[in-house]
Amino acid sequence: MRIKILSIAFAALIVAAAFTFIRKEVKVDVKSSQIAWVGEKVTGQHNGTVNIKSGALDVENGTIKGGEFTIDMTSIDVLDLEGDSKGKLMGHLKSDDFFSVEKYPTALFKINSVSESKQADATHFISGELTIKGITNKITFPATVTVNGDKVNAKATFALDRTKWNVRYGSGSFFDGLGDKMIYDDFKLSVNLSSL
């Protein structure tokens, strides 16, 4: 009888192990990961980068279940200009006209859910909360995600309406008579994440 009970208990343990979900935190490699941005205006556009300060993904059985990233807003860089022009634009982007970097040195993105995508150019939809200048908005965007053991790669390109985070400088939605000085509300982000 004792052997039978032990056998049943052992079988139950094997079944439980088969259905156990393995969840782990995967750190983001901030040196190889990057966020590129493009901002457009009537007369042209500018582009640059901003660095990820820290980040981690929650991975369960080869699937991303969540994650959180801190973006270093003090690292905003402009790539299409040089010299004084570059310095002037970088200073303006960091000022209260745009991202108020002195008051809000970091932005935060928290992943709430990840679902599979049937789009040809994306494997998943990522939904979460993006906090910029202390203002939080929900966003969802398509991404191409690959998980291979502890290695995770994710790429995404999407547009955001900056005015939702009270970045209204030069916006035709809030100011009249801007003419060719108008800056479009949407700005494009291209995110490339790699894990350690």
Side-chain angles (χ1 to χ4, degrees):
M1 182 71 175
R2 192 175 202 177
I3 294 174
K4 188 174 182 180
I5 292 172
L6 287 172
S7 297
I8 292 171
F10 184 67
L13 282 173
I14 291 174
V15 171
F19 288 98
T20 298
F21 295 107
I22 301 171
R23 191 162 190 155
K24 61 180 73 175
E25 183 181 80
V26 177
K27 298 285 186 182
V28 170
D29 185 351
V30 296
K31 291 183 179 180
S32 64
S33 300
Q34 188 182 62
I35 301 174
W37 60 264
V38 176
E40 297 179 315
K41 54 184 180 177
V42 174
T43 57
Q45 67 178 39
H46 293 293
N47 68 281
T49 59
V50 61
N51 296 336
I52 297 170
K53 187 174 183 179
S54 62
L57 293 164
D58 294 326
V59 178
E60 185 178 280
N61 291 343
T63 303
I64 295 174
K65 294 294 185 180
E68 190 169 292
F69 306 90
T70 300
I71 301 159
D72 181 6
M73 298 302 288
T74 67
S75 71
I76 293 174
D77 195 9
V78 176
L79 300 181
D80 64 304
L81 297 175
E82 295 181 354
D84 291 342
S85 297
K86 175 175 180 170
K88 185 177 179 180
L89 180 55
M90 284 175 58
H92 199 192
L93 291 173
K94 293 178 182 181
S95 76
D96 291 340
D97 281 343
F98 285 91
F99 296 104
S100 302
V101 168
E102 187 173 338
K103 187 175 182 181
Y104 303 101
T106 60
L108 182 69
F109 179 58
K110 184 177 181 180
I111 298 174
N112 292 331
S113 65
V114 179
S115 59
E116 290 188 8
S117 167
K118 294 182 179 179
Q119 292 184 188
D121 59 345
T123 60
H124 294 79
F125 281 107
I126 297 176
S127 297
E129 298 174 342
L130 178 61
T131 302
I132 301 174
K133 295 178 69 173
I135 300 168
T136 301
N137 286 295
K138 293 181 179 179
I139 64 171
T140 298
F141 55 88
T144 299
V145 180
T146 57
V147 181
N148 186 5
D150 290 342
K151 295 294 182 181
V152 179
N153 287 95
K155 294 181 180 181
T157 298
F158 55 97
L160 295 177
D161 180 352
R162 62 190 174 96
T163 65
K164 290 183 177 180
W165 289 271
N166 198 30
V167 182
R168 299 179 176 179
Y169 181 86
S171 169
S173 300
F174 294 90
F175 303 100
D176 296 326
L178 293 170
D180 62 5
K181 293 183 179 180
M182 186 181 76
I183 303 170
Y184 296 118
D185 292 343
D186 284 353
F187 66 99
K188 187 184 292 183
L189 294 178
S190 295
V191 182
N192 190 346
L193 291 179
S194 298
S195 65
L196 287 171

